[in-house]
Amino acid sequence: MAALKDILYKVSLQSVSGNMETEVTSLAFDSRKVQDGTAFVAVKGTQVDGHEFISSSIESGAAAIICEEMPQDQPEGVAFIQVQDSSKALGFMAANFYGNPSEKLKLVGVTGTNGKTTCVTLLHQLFRALGYNTGLLSTVVNKINEEELPATHTTPDAITLNETLAQMVSKGCTHCFMESSSHAIVQNRIAGLKYQGAVFTNLSHEHLDYHKTFDEYIKAKKLLFDNLPAGSFALVNYDDKRGPIMLQNTKAWKHKFALKSFADYKAKILSNTLQGLELDISGYTVWFKLIGDFNAYNLLAVFGTAVLLGEEETEVLEQLSNLDPAPGRFEQVITNTGITALVDYAHTPDALENVLSTIKEFRTGNETVITVVGCGGNRDKDKRPIMAKIACDLSDKVILTSDNPRFEEPGDILKDMQAGITPSNFRKTLTIEDRREAIKAACAMAQPNDIILVAGKGHETYQEIKGVRNDFDDRKVLSEMLNLIHKPN
């Protein structure tokens, strides 16, 4: 519980009607969660405008209404606050309501198209191994130390986010590592947070269904760095041509990591096999369990972050060498069939190309690479033919199938993907709408020593069809089908 005036600290107010001393018991931007004493924030969303629910919120007992457009009907006993941007106000209000928890620990945000989950997962594991109480906010799972919390979005809404950070503080966490998605940045879900630092991994074709243009997508990522406070750090991938852009207007200390460019944190790949990576990193030769060039960048980003947070280089590298990759990221499905089976979350052109290029590096050339891939529904359509083309160009056989079709017809998504198949690749391509059957077909095609990649869903344990999430785990299905068709040796 807090006074309305206190939770409005740092919020730019345009007009006020009512008692600013009103006691607020909770915050809500969903009218269904309003109860006696709630401050209801009317946010204009992409689907729904919260201003339409002001009356019902008052009926449910709202003590205060925060909005961009003042309603004509203003009952006595309810405070009305007009602000320029409700979503931004909600971020600051949530931070204030929960005691500004981001100021009480070292919060590091990781943004970029690919690598966010791997980086924050490794950072969480690393700092736990270094002896810290640590929080994690990721696409896969949220954690307070080893306690798992449900994860529904890459970055939670502002209220849930600050409530979770407050729980981390109450349980003694000194650090929190958080994926900061472009959606969350532009929707002000992270407004009001104080970052100790931010990391940029890379930028490629993604989320243009939301941002409309690639330039807008770049600007969304850049906002995280523009808003960093003086004294924090900004660490960017300088091999990515957008890395320098992220640093243009930041007040933070600027740092770079790279494999190819001059940088503060550099590495050289000495060997890259299915067993792991050997890197020369900061003058030390270290073996890691992660695979592929893209993971060399992730490891370098994690190493740099840890050093910037004050940890000792050799201790960081020793602990990093023992860590496992994030679930569903180039994850091997272990069977005794003699077939190499891999599951990866690659759902962007760049990520798919990275994974298949990595497979190309360690294959002998005598095996067949079979890729099962789809594209999500109600998302950026432009990437669909690109992903099909990449899969065909870098695989021997390709099965196009459903990913999470959501509210789109799977057949329509597959037609979009088929547009990227060149005549020379037609013969190597099959289209099987049912994902289980597609994985089964790949297993039936494969012979010992062949490589199967099932891409797109990674760690996910569901398939979303017509708004319903059905149980589906690529790893379990792949293992089941391999053992069914190929009796283990």
Side-chain angles (χ1 to χ4, degrees):
M1 183 179 293
L4 178 60
K5 67 176 184 180
D6 293 331
I7 63 173
L8 288 170
Y9 177 61
K10 291 187 179 179
V11 176
S12 180
L13 310 182
Q14 293 190 317
S15 64
V16 175
S17 173
N19 185 7
M20 291 287 281
E21 299 292 339
T22 297
E23 289 293 323
V24 173
T25 58
S26 65
L27 298 179
F29 62 94
D30 183 340
S31 61
R32 294 167 296 184
K33 296 182 179 180
V34 173
Q35 53 191 359
D36 287 343
T38 298
F40 174 69
V41 185
V43 176
K44 292 182 177 179
T46 54
Q47 305 292 329
V48 178
D49 185 351
H51 289 76
E52 297 175 7
F53 301 94
I54 289 176
S55 295
S56 61
S57 296
I58 293 171
E59 291 172 7
S60 297
I65 302 294
I66 292 80
C67 53
E68 295 174 17
E69 300 167 8
M70 284 286 214
Q72 291 184 341
D73 184 21
Q74 298 182 17
E76 287 188 17
V78 180
F80 290 86
I81 311 296
Q82 185 179 21
V83 297
Q84 184 175 357
D85 187 331
S86 294
S87 63
K88 191 171 184 178
L90 177 63
F92 282 96
M93 291 174 68
N96 292 330
F97 186 82
Y98 287 102
N100 292 292
S102 64
E103 297 180 2
K104 299 172 183 175
L105 44 66
K106 294 179 179 180
L107 177 64
V108 176
V110 179
T111 197
T113 304
N114 302 310
K116 297 188 296 295
T117 302
T118 294
C119 285
V120 296
T121 301
L122 290 175
L123 282 164
H124 179 261
Q125 292 176 357
L126 171 63
F127 276 75
R128 292 289 293 143
L130 291 170
Y132 293 98
N133 289 332
T134 308
L136 169 69
L137 292 164
S138 79
T139 304
V140 178
V141 67
N142 297 329
K143 280 187 173 184
I144 300 177
N145 294 318
E146 300 309 312
E147 176 191 354
E148 292 192 4
L149 309 172
T152 56
H153 296 83
T154 303
T155 311
D157 66 79
I159 298 172
T160 304
L161 179 51
N162 280 278
E163 182 181 19
T164 305
L165 289 172
Q167 290 175 20
M168 291 176 183
V169 171
S170 71
K171 294 186 178 181
C173 289
T174 54
H175 299 75
C176 175
F177 303 103
M178 180 176 78
E179 288 188 52
S180 299
S181 70
S182 55
H183 291 71
I185 295 167
V186 299
Q187 291 171 6
N188 290 312
R189 286 185 239 159
I190 61 173
L193 298 184
K194 182 185 178 183
Y195 282 92
Q196 179 72 24
V199 180
F200 169 72
T201 58
N202 51 66
L203 206 65
S204 63
H205 201 286
E206 176 69 328
H207 297 312
L208 299 194
D209 55 308
Y210 181 82
H211 297 289
K212 305 308 177 189
T213 68
F214 197 64
D215 188 50
E216 288 302 313
Y217 183 41
I218 294 170
K219 288 178 180 176
K221 297 293 189 186
K222 186 174 178 294
L223 273 175
L224 176 62
F225 296 88
D226 290 351
N227 293 326
L228 286 174
S232 62
F233 68 82
L235 176 63
V236 304
N237 177 358
Y238 223 61
D239 283 345
D240 188 295
K241 62 184 179 182
R242 283 96 189 179
I245 295 173
M246 299 297 143
L247 298 178
Q248 283 176 351
N249 303 109
T250 188
K251 296 185 287 290
W253 293 105
K254 300 175 183 179
H255 299 272
K256 311 160 191 173
F257 67 93
L259 294 177
K260 304 170 186 174
S261 311
F262 178 79
D264 304 288
Y265 303 98
K266 265 189 83 69
K268 180 182 179 181
I269 298 174
L270 302 178
S271 68
N272 177 21
T273 70
L274 255 180
Q275 285 66 51
L277 276 168
E278 187 177 25
L279 301 180
D280 179 332
I281 185 168
S282 198
Y284 301 96
T285 300
V286 188
W287 184 85
F288 302 94
K289 294 180 182 179
L290 281 72
I291 301 164
D293 292 12
F294 56 96
N295 273 322
Y297 282 103
N298 293 333
L299 287 162
L300 200 47
V302 170
F303 171 71
T305 300
V307 173
L308 288 168
L309 288 171
E311 302 305 310
E312 202 272 322
E313 285 189 356
T314 54
E315 179 69 9
V316 169
L317 291 172
E318 181 182 346
Q319 297 298 341
L320 258 183
S321 68
N322 294 320
L323 300 185
D324 296 316
R329 270 64 177 178
F330 217 92
E331 183 174 347
Q332 280 189 262
V333 176
I334 305 300
T335 66
N336 294 320
T337 62
I339 295 167
T340 299
L342 301 165
V343 170
D344 195 88
Y345 189 54
H347 61 286
T348 67
D350 188 55
L352 184 62
E353 185 172 3
N354 282 338
V355 172
L356 286 169
S357 296
T358 296
I359 291 173
K360 185 178 180 180
E361 286 177 21
F362 62 67
R363 68 179 297 191
T364 64
N366 296 318
E367 65 281 273
T368 298
V369 175
I370 305 167
T371 298
V372 180
V373 65
C375 289
N378 304 109
R379 296 293 187 271
D380 182 5
K381 293 185 178 183
D382 291 345
K383 72 180 182 183
R384 294 173 183 173
I386 301 170
M387 289 188 67
K389 183 178 187 305
I390 289 169
C392 289
D393 288 346
L394 296 176
S395 310
D396 299 304
K397 296 180 181 178
V398 175
I399 302 176
L400 304 181
T401 190
S402 296
D403 189 286
N404 291 318
R406 299 184 178 88
F407 290 98
E408 273 195 80
E409 291 300 324
D412 293 340
I413 299 171
L414 290 168
K415 285 178 183 176
D416 288 341
M417 294 188 75
Q418 288 167 342
I421 303 172
T422 59
S424 60
N425 283 329
F426 278 140
R427 286 189 176 183
K428 67 165 68 174
T429 309
L430 285 176
T431 299
I432 302 175
E433 189 174 299
D434 184 282
R435 191 172 182 88
R436 178 180 291 273
E437 290 300 316
I439 294 173
K440 182 179 180 181
C443 294
M445 290 177 186
Q447 299 298 317
N449 298 319
D450 287 348
I451 301 168
I452 299 173
L453 170 67
V454 180
K457 289 173 55 57
H459 65 281
E460 292 177 351
T461 56
Y462 63 86
Q463 188 175 28
E464 188 174 338
I465 304 171
K466 301 297 182 185
V468 178
R469 290 192 171 190
N470 305 296
D471 289 344
F472 196 99
D473 188 327
D474 282 351
R475 297 162 294 187
K476 289 182 179 179
V477 175
L478 186 52
S479 177
E480 174 193 336
M481 293 303 174
L482 279 171
N483 289 318
L484 177 69
I485 295 168
H486 303 269
K487 291 184 180 180
N489 297 328

